[in-house]
Amino acid sequence: MKETVQQRVDNHVFSVVIGKRLVLIELVLINRVGKSDQDIDDGSFVILKEIQCIDGVMAMVWLNDSIIVSTVNGYSLFSCVTGQSGVIFSLPDGSGLPRLKLLCKEWNLLLLVDNVGIIANAHGQPVGGSLVFHSKPDSIGEISSYVVVARDGKLELYHKKTGTCIQMVTFGGEGVGGPCVVADEEDRTGNLVVVATPTKVVCFRKLPSEEQIKDLLRKKNFKEAISLVEELESEGELSKDMLSFVHAQVGFLLLFDLHFEEAVNHFLQSEAMQPSEVFPFIMRDPNRWSLLVPRNRYWGLHPPPAPLEDVVDDGLLAIQRAIFLRKAGVETVVDDAFLLNPPSRDNLLESAIKSITRYLEVSREKELTPSVKEGVDTLLMYLYRALNNVYNMEKLASSANSCVVEELETLLDDSGHLRTLAFLYASKGMSSKALGIWRVLARHYSSGLWKDPVMESGPQDGGTNIVSGKETAAAEASKLLEESSDPGLVLQHLGWVADINQVFAVQVLTSEKRVNQLPPDEVIAAIDPKKVEIFQRYLQWLIEDQESYDSQFHTLYALSLAKSAIEAFQSEIASQNLDPGRTEETNISDHRTSLIFQSPVRERLQIFLEASDLYDPEEVLDLIEGSELWSEKAILYKKLGQEALVLQILALKLENSEAAEQYCAEIGRPDVYMQLLDMYLDPQDGKEPMFKAAVRLLHNHGESLDPLQVLERLSPDMPLQLASETILRMLRARLHHYRQGRIVHNLSRALDTDASLAILEEKSRHVQINDESLCDSCHARLGTKLFAMYPDDTVVCYKCFRRQGESTSVTGRNFKQDVLVKPGWLVTR
């Protein structure tokens, strides 16, 4: 019968093979009017089509527009539309009789030869793998997604897609006395299959899907169970939630079978499983999160949750029991790999912890409630500590986390993971406790109280490790102090940080990360007087970066720089008497200071003295009065307006003629140059006259000096060849300056004369008006009216002139803003 009409009662189409003829026939049923469809009075056959067939047809299936037949030689396909035929495949000699079975659920057919079956579509093309039965079946049936075969009192159930035999049922002993016949409902949704033997008929019903899955799980067929659920889910028979449920159930079964990695793989595939369900495996009840654990036993196929240590111990005990039973010939469900090579407790426990750790790490990325987040992060820290995974412990503690400090501080303190505890305190805003730990670690690093995991990776010098470890503690502490706005906390820990690394101390004091800056007076009072560089860098930051105008800070900074400059100058003088090796050693010892300041202290002092006007120069001058810091003294005397002293220092002490002349130029008075010349010619204190400097001054600024005064100042001892050329040039320059002034004076007079002449010419101009002349503004005839003429030769009546004004003509040109210049007005002589 054609498969598409099997469910219809008003139309019946079927095919018949008679010899070599394939006949398509329709049975038309007739019933009387007024009677139901079940009351049939008569019917008739109608031959729809005849097709030339082959001889020896043994079985036939009509699927869509194709009719597939089987013979002893193989399988052939006929088209009921065109009548054409073709061979699907031929059978080799010695093969059994071929059979056909229509599979109604997917509208496919099963081609069966001996104990091998192939599922094909209506075109004869294979659509899946082969089904290999244990023996040649007597009969074949279909139920849901399975093929049912019967032989010798056994009913076997094979999955269509995987070809796996998932169930075997015995309904009679060996040799039941004849073949078995299997019949199904020939319905896509059939749930019954009937097996007939010569002596009885047995009906089998398909179990609910859940019962099938449970049965597979009890037999440890986890892959088959998951495959079944996935197939049922794709067909719409099970929900996606059920797939997640089964993944979780399989995960728990695998976990208690000591397959921890595979268990977590299934946990991660379960969207319904909650991270809190693994909490009892990590921490014993009762605990902070006991009430968060859902009381979900799933199908009750696994024991209640227990700590991983107990799970491993129970699993090892089961393995030992299974080994004993195996020796006694009793089969068990324990994994053969464990029986052949029993694992150690330590390896199993490590594998379990790593697997649960992986699950919690993935769970952290999910949307969880705050309390569950706390449990996940806190228990993850427990697992990291159990593995002694210091890197991940510190990574978790130093990042944003939901760890409960009260649950971890005792644990981490007792185990010696103080770095992790410090990071954890810092992440929770408990900076005071974190800084206390870093301080302890910095002071007791050499005692082995803690170790930096980075340094444990390779051999290094012990002294280097101690220094680097202290630097690490100070660096971490400085990060916290840079963000803290609590003056008491910052200043409490500033000292020990500065003892280890002064750069860190400077970063703490000058940090821009804190909300409120520290009180400068308290900071200055708290800085160790020996830490001069920190003191100076903080004052520099206050003055330059914070733009402080407090004269007290400016004076303190200047005094500190001056004191350091004196010490540096004295040290430099003293180092000249040392041997080269000692000098090199001194340079090395000062290397750390250069990390704070890149420029020498005297350079910084001179720049600040020049730039600032808020410090007290007299106080600084009193400090350096007895020193050799002449450049700094010159700057201070300049601030005080002591011109003579500044010139004496620049010209006589420093012998810096260029700086002295520059200072005279800044003052701008001619008498200052003469004063400088007097100093060069009469230096006092028994020094020889500085004739070259005097000649340089006369050469550069001689035009600003009175020649007569210069000649009076010149010493009779000055060599004539040095002064004659300079004096002659100065006299020539004076004469040139005088003549140049006369030229400018005469040119100015000529311009004035030309301007007066141009005005006279403009005022004496004439214009001729006749009866036809019109006003350029209102276009009225001028006649005998008063009129006015603008510089651009436009003529208007007096009325328009009054309205326009005398500065703006009719053309709109404003002569006050846009000056008119005629060629005749230019100076041509």
Side-chain angles (χ1 to χ4, degrees):
M1 182 175 291
K2 182 172 175 57
E3 91 294 338
T4 55
V5 299
Q6 289 185 11
Q7 307 301 321
R8 298 165 58 183
V9 298
D10 59 342
N11 197 1
H12 299 272
V13 180
F14 55 92
S15 60
V16 179
V17 174
I18 305 173
K20 292 186 177 182
R21 292 169 59 200
L22 176 58
V23 183
L24 308 183
I25 302 173
E26 180 181 5
L27 173 62
V28 180
L29 304 178
I30 302 173
N31 61 339
R32 293 180 181 180
V33 178
K35 292 189 176 182
S36 65
D37 294 339
Q38 303 297 327
D39 299 328
I40 305 300
D41 288 344
D42 200 356
S44 61
F45 292 100
V46 177
I47 297 177
L48 301 177
K49 195 171 188 176
E50 291 188 12
I51 302 173
Q52 184 67 31
C53 190
I54 56 178
D55 197 9
V57 174
M58 305 177 64
M60 178 170 55
V61 171
W62 188 349
L63 187 61
N64 295 339
D65 294 331
S66 302
I67 297 177
I68 295 90
V69 300
S70 64
T71 65
V72 293
N73 297 321
Y75 295 93
S76 300
L77 183 145
F78 291 86
S79 173
C80 60
V81 177
T82 63
Q84 296 179 353
S85 64
V87 177
I88 297 178
F89 63 85
S90 300
L91 297 177
D93 296 336
S95 299
L97 296 179
R99 285 183 285 179
L100 285 170
K101 170 61 180 175
L102 178 64
L103 303 178
C104 300
K105 186 173 179 61
E106 298 88 8
W107 295 125
N108 291 324
L109 65 152
L110 179 65
L111 311 179
L112 180 63
V113 180
D114 294 332
N115 66 327
V116 178
I118 298 175
I119 299 177
N121 58 18
H123 303 289
Q125 300 295 327
V127 292
S130 300
L131 298 177
V132 181
F133 308 119
H134 294 149
S135 60
K136 181 179 178 181
D138 291 338
S139 184
I140 307 171
E142 178 191 19
I143 181 171
S144 185
S145 300
Y146 307 96
V147 172
V148 181
V149 297
R151 181 181 175 86
D152 296 335
K154 294 181 181 179
L155 184 71
E156 296 176 354
L157 197 66
Y158 290 86
H159 197 280
K160 293 179 186 177
K161 290 185 178 180
T162 63
T164 306
C165 179
I166 64 171
Q167 189 176 5
M168 180 183 297
V169 180
T170 301
F171 54 87
E174 292 290 338
V176 293
C180 302
V181 178
V182 178
D184 52 45
E185 297 184 66
E186 298 184 350
D187 190 319
R188 300 185 65 178
T189 60
N191 289 320
L192 291 176
V193 63
V194 179
V195 181
T197 68
T199 59
K200 59 183 176 181
V201 174
V202 184
C203 297
F204 293 93
R205 178 177 60 86
K206 176 187 173 184
L207 288 175
S209 302
E210 292 186 5
E211 295 300 325
Q212 298 181 48
I213 299 168
K214 289 180 184 179
D215 185 66
L216 290 172
L217 295 180
R218 291 189 186 98
K219 297 177 180 179
K220 307 296 183 181
N221 295 328
F222 301 128
K223 294 182 179 179
E224 289 79 359
I226 294 297
S227 299
L228 175 60
V229 177
E230 290 176 346
E231 180 181 354
L232 294 174
E233 190 265 337
S234 64
E235 295 175 354
E237 295 187 20
L238 291 180
S239 64
K240 193 173 182 179
D241 292 339
M242 178 56 70
L243 178 60
S244 297
F245 179 90
V246 174
H247 270 300
Q249 177 68 88
V250 171
F252 282 112
L253 290 171
L254 287 169
L255 188 144
F256 282 98
D257 286 347
L258 306 184
H259 296 284
F260 302 107
E261 185 174 356
E262 297 178 27
V264 169
N265 291 339
H266 285 281
F267 287 159
L268 295 176
Q269 295 181 68
S270 175
E271 298 179 1
M273 181 174 173
Q274 301 179 26
S276 56
E277 294 185 49
V278 302
F279 289 178
F281 293 98
I282 306 172
M283 182 178 288
R284 294 184 183 275
D285 289 332
N287 57 64
R288 180 187 292 261
W289 300 280
S290 295
L291 298 179
L292 297 178
V293 181
R295 302 306 175 187
N296 188 356
R297 288 298 313 279
Y298 295 89
W299 284 327
L301 302 179
H302 62 273
L308 291 176
E309 295 86 347
D310 296 348
V311 173
V312 171
D313 292 338
D314 293 343
L316 290 174
L317 185 61
I319 292 174
Q320 296 298 328
R321 189 184 302 113
I323 293 174
F324 176 78
L325 294 176
R326 177 68 62 89
K327 292 180 179 180
V330 179
E331 292 296 329
T332 63
V333 294
V334 177
D335 193 344
D336 290 340
F338 287 160
L339 297 178
L340 297 176
N341 186 18
S344 66
R345 184 180 187 277
D346 293 340
N347 292 339
L348 284 176
L349 193 56
E350 181 180 0
S351 175
I353 295 175
K354 287 183 178 179
S355 299
I356 298 298
T357 299
R358 179 164 63 94
Y359 175 73
L360 292 182
E361 289 174 343
V362 176
S363 299
R364 293 192 74 217
E365 308 300 325
K366 299 180 180 179
E367 292 291 335
L368 305 174
T369 62
S371 55
V372 174
K373 284 184 178 180
E374 290 180 356
V376 169
D377 286 358
T378 305
L379 296 180
L380 189 59
M381 186 69 76
Y382 266 89
L383 297 178
Y384 285 150
R385 190 203 64 84
L387 295 172
N388 197 27
N389 191 336
V390 178
Y391 174 79
N392 282 335
M393 290 173 65
E394 295 182 359
K395 181 180 178 181
L396 174 61
S398 59
S399 62
N401 63 80
S402 301
C403 294
V404 179
V405 178
E406 295 79 3
E407 293 285 338
L408 294 174
E409 53 186 350
T410 302
L411 176 74
L412 297 176
D413 193 3
D414 294 343
S415 62
H417 295 94
L418 297 182
R419 279 171 56 97
T420 303
L421 184 56
F423 285 128
L424 185 60
Y425 281 144
S427 68
K428 299 302 178 182
M430 305 167 70
S431 300
S432 178
K433 289 187 175 182
L435 290 169
I437 291 178
W438 289 122
R439 184 173 187 173
V440 171
L441 293 177
R443 290 184 174 181
H444 300 281
Y445 180 85
S446 59
S447 64
L449 183 61
W450 67 287
K451 293 183 180 180
D452 192 338
V454 177
M455 298 177 191
E456 296 178 0
S457 58
Q460 296 183 2
D461 179 69
T464 304
N465 283 350
I466 294 175
V467 174
S468 179
K470 291 182 177 180
E471 294 268 351
T472 302
E476 296 297 338
S478 66
K479 293 178 183 178
L480 299 176
L481 295 174
E482 287 175 21
E483 298 179 357
S484 175
S485 299
D486 183 358
L489 182 65
V490 174
L491 300 181
Q492 176 187 355
H493 294 276
L494 179 66
W496 69 267
V497 172
D499 291 339
I500 296 174
N501 191 307
Q502 295 191 19
V503 175
F504 293 155
V506 170
Q507 292 174 354
V508 169
L509 296 178
T510 62
S511 173
E512 301 288 347
K513 299 178 182 179
R514 57 175 57 97
V515 178
N516 299 317
Q517 292 299 333
L518 306 176
D521 294 334
E522 297 183 19
V523 174
I524 292 174
I527 296 177
D528 187 351
K530 298 180 181 179
K531 304 294 190 302
V532 179
E533 294 81 5
I534 299 177
F535 180 74
Q536 293 176 358
R537 181 64 186 92
Y538 178 69
L539 288 174
Q540 182 187 33
W541 175 76
L542 283 177
I543 295 170
E544 297 179 1
D545 296 352
Q546 300 298 305
E547 299 180 354
S548 173
Y549 296 102
D550 192 329
S551 59
Q552 178 186 358
F553 297 151
H554 285 251
T555 303
L556 283 175
Y557 185 45
L559 291 173
S560 179
L561 289 175
K563 184 177 180 181
S564 297
I566 294 173
E567 295 174 354
F569 183 80
Q570 294 174 350
S571 176
E572 182 180 355
I573 297 300
S575 65
Q576 295 177 359
N577 301 324
L578 300 177
D579 57 281
R582 180 71 178 274
T583 304
E584 182 180 357
E585 181 180 342
T586 304
N587 293 336
I588 293 175
S589 66
D590 293 337
H591 177 69
R592 186 174 63 177
T593 305
S594 64
L595 297 177
I596 299 179
F597 295 109
Q598 300 299 324
S599 56
V601 62
R602 289 197 64 182
E603 179 181 342
R604 288 184 277 119
L605 173 60
Q606 293 172 12
I607 292 175
F608 178 72
L609 293 178
E610 287 279 7
S612 176
D613 294 325
L614 299 177
Y615 62 89
D616 186 353
E618 293 183 355
E619 191 172 350
V620 180
L621 193 60
D622 291 341
L623 178 63
I624 66 173
E625 188 64 39
S627 68
E628 297 295 323
L629 304 181
W630 294 108
S631 297
E632 291 77 0
K633 291 180 183 179
I635 298 173
L636 293 171
Y637 282 129
K638 190 188 300 184
K639 295 284 185 179
L640 295 172
Q642 302 289 336
E643 299 174 358
L645 293 176
V646 174
L647 288 176
Q648 286 180 4
I649 294 174
L650 295 178
L652 304 180
K653 291 292 183 180
L654 301 177
E655 297 184 358
N656 190 341
S657 301
E658 183 178 355
E661 294 175 14
Q662 177 65 29
Y663 180 60
C664 293
E666 293 175 4
I667 298 175
R669 299 196 313 269
D671 63 294
V672 181
Y673 289 104
M674 189 60 67
Q675 186 178 2
L676 179 59
L677 181 62
D678 289 339
M679 292 181 183
Y680 285 148
L681 298 177
D682 187 13
Q684 302 295 330
D685 296 333
K687 293 184 66 175
E688 295 292 330
M690 304 170 65
F691 294 128
K692 291 185 179 181
V695 171
R696 170 191 168 90
L697 175 63
L698 295 174
H699 177 75
N700 293 334
H701 305 282
E703 68 275 4
S704 301
L705 302 176
D706 186 350
L708 181 59
Q709 294 183 6
V710 172
L711 291 174
E712 291 176 352
R713 297 291 199 284
L714 291 180
S715 171
D717 299 332
M718 184 175 182
L720 185 60
Q721 63 272 18
L722 291 178
S724 59
E725 183 178 352
T726 301
I727 295 173
L728 182 60
R729 188 185 304 111
M730 183 177 64
L731 294 175
R732 288 174 178 171
R734 296 281 293 185
L735 181 60
H736 173 70
H737 182 70
Y738 169 76
R739 290 174 177 175
Q740 204 172 30
R742 296 300 302 171
I743 293 173
V744 173
H745 173 72
N746 291 330
L747 285 176
S748 299
R749 289 188 61 185
L751 289 173
D752 181 67
T753 303
D754 283 344
S756 301
L757 180 60
I759 293 173
L760 181 61
E761 289 177 353
E762 285 296 312
K763 288 183 177 181
S764 62
R765 280 199 303 159
H766 293 80
V767 60
Q768 185 176 358
I769 301 298
N770 54 32
D771 295 339
E772 302 298 329
S773 298
L774 302 176
C775 173
D776 289 335
S777 177
C778 64
H779 304 292
R781 292 184 182 274
L782 293 177
T784 58
K785 298 178 181 178
L786 290 176
F787 65 90
M789 183 176 67
Y790 287 98
D792 58 357
D793 297 335
T794 57
V795 178
V796 296
C797 64
Y798 187 73
K799 182 179 179 180
C800 294
F801 171 73
R802 293 287 300 274
R803 185 178 69 253
Q804 290 286 127
E806 63 180 12
S807 61
T808 305
S809 70
V810 180
T811 60
R813 183 169 186 171
N814 190 328
F815 298 105
K816 289 184 177 180
Q817 298 177 359
D818 187 8
V819 180
L820 178 66
V821 179
K822 294 184 178 181
W825 297 351
L826 299 178
V827 177
T828 57
R829 296 180 296 278

